[in-house]
Amino acid sequence: MSDLPAAEAALRPLDGRIALVTGATRGIGRATALALAAAGAHVVAVGRTSGALEELDDAIIAARSTATLVPLDIKDGEGLDRLGGALYERFGRLDIFVGNAGVLGPMTPLAQIEPKEWNDTLAVNLTANWRLIRSLDPLLRLSTAGRAVLVSSGAAHKARPFWGAYAVTKAAVEVLARTWAAEVENISSLRVNLINPGPIRTRMRAKAFPSEDPNTLPSPEELAQAILALCLPSVVETGQLYDFPTRGFKGFPIPA
């Protein structure tokens, strides 16, 4: 229960909550970490670059919040396994998990993708999220209103040439999140949802579409507000996909 005055509590609805964000040093992850911090959360920021994490920490302090910095390569599975135990020892629970870290992977015909490139894309986009579920699920169940948001993509629902590695991982992430949501729905307060950002002004988007004018796209900060909304204790939806371009939840197609 927040001890803030009522007016400030309304502006900081995550006061006292612990939120973990992966890929927190730039783009969507950084914007999300800052949005959660501004809403009052203590942010556990996971990223590879210590310098960028320290810059994020300065910004979080400026937002009148606090952070725990975790310099960790998301492909370090044993490190992800240890993370849950370390968070339990320090906080005793976790309230929010945003699985944002991701890579575009090779934009190459499937038959020409090198095995290392394929494995690296799966390791970051898919396996790391599964490993984090193993590590964080017990902590999220200890929260009074655990919330998890995994970042998907419209590519998961298309079969465009040369997007195979990325699309396959995002389609798998959707099934991963929906399965997790179904497993915990009736036994805990944990709610698990996905978000499709659509075109956003990020480095990944610029790499995929180098001729596109980034100024025509929504900013990561705009998307971060939608992710924040999915992390609130008032969220009742679970196992669903929030489509940011249309600003609404989308149903999953059921095969005939």
Side-chain angles (χ1 to χ4, degrees):
M1 180 70 68
S2 172
D3 57 2
L4 294 172
E8 188 172 356
L11 296 174
R12 295 172 70 85
L14 299 180
D15 182 58
R17 295 194 170 269
I18 313 300
L20 184 146
V21 181
T22 64
T25 57
R26 67 184 186 186
I28 294 170
R30 177 182 170 86
T32 299
L34 289 172
L36 295 172
H42 175 89
V43 176
V44 180
V46 181
R48 287 186 302 171
T49 309
S50 295
L53 284 171
E54 291 168 3
E55 291 176 3
L56 173 63
D57 189 37
D58 291 340
I60 287 174
I61 291 171
R64 297 189 302 118
S65 193
T66 56
T68 296
L69 307 182
V70 183
L72 179 66
D73 188 330
I74 206 75
K75 292 187 291 184
D76 179 358
E78 293 183 356
L80 297 180
D81 290 347
R82 292 191 296 267
L83 182 58
L87 293 175
Y88 179 75
E89 289 182 5
R90 179 165 181 182
F91 302 111
R93 74 180 199 281
L94 182 66
D95 300 297
I96 295 164
F97 162 44
V98 179
N100 161 76
V103 294
L104 183 61
M107 303 291 287
T108 309
L110 287 171
Q112 297 176 21
I113 297 175
E114 293 295 328
K116 183 180 185 305
E117 294 178 310
W118 178 268
N119 290 335
D120 284 349
T121 306
L122 264 67
V124 174
N125 293 357
L126 177 61
T127 303
N129 281 308
W130 163 71
R131 201 99 182 210
L132 282 161
I133 290 171
R134 292 181 72 249
S135 188
L136 304 178
D137 172 86
L139 297 179
L140 288 161
R141 295 197 198 196
L142 292 171
S143 172
T144 57
R147 300 291 179 263
V149 180
L150 274 64
V151 177
S152 185
S153 167
H157 304 276
K158 301 179 178 71
R160 292 184 295 187
F162 316 126
W163 283 74
Y166 183 75
V168 164
T169 60
K170 289 302 183 178
V173 162
E174 290 196 351
V175 176
L176 182 75
R178 293 169 63 196
T179 301
W180 186 23
E183 289 172 349
V184 301
E185 182 175 8
N186 297 319
I187 59 174
S188 76
S189 63
L190 176 57
R191 299 292 177 262
V192 181
N193 288 297
L194 295 142
I195 189 164
N196 169 35
I200 300 291
R201 197 185 312 154
T202 62
R203 292 184 189 180
M204 183 185 293
R205 179 74 184 186
K207 182 179 178 181
F209 298 93
S211 62
E212 186 176 56
D213 181 1
N215 294 318
T216 63
L217 305 177
S219 68
E221 289 73 21
E222 293 174 74
L223 175 65
Q225 291 303 311
I227 296 175
L228 167 61
L230 292 173
C231 296
L232 297 176
S234 57
V235 168
V236 297
E237 292 85 1
T238 193
Q240 296 192 35
L241 173 71
Y242 184 84
D243 185 59
F244 182 68
T246 59
R247 306 301 195 272
F249 285 98
K250 295 288 188 181
F252 287 94
I254 300 174

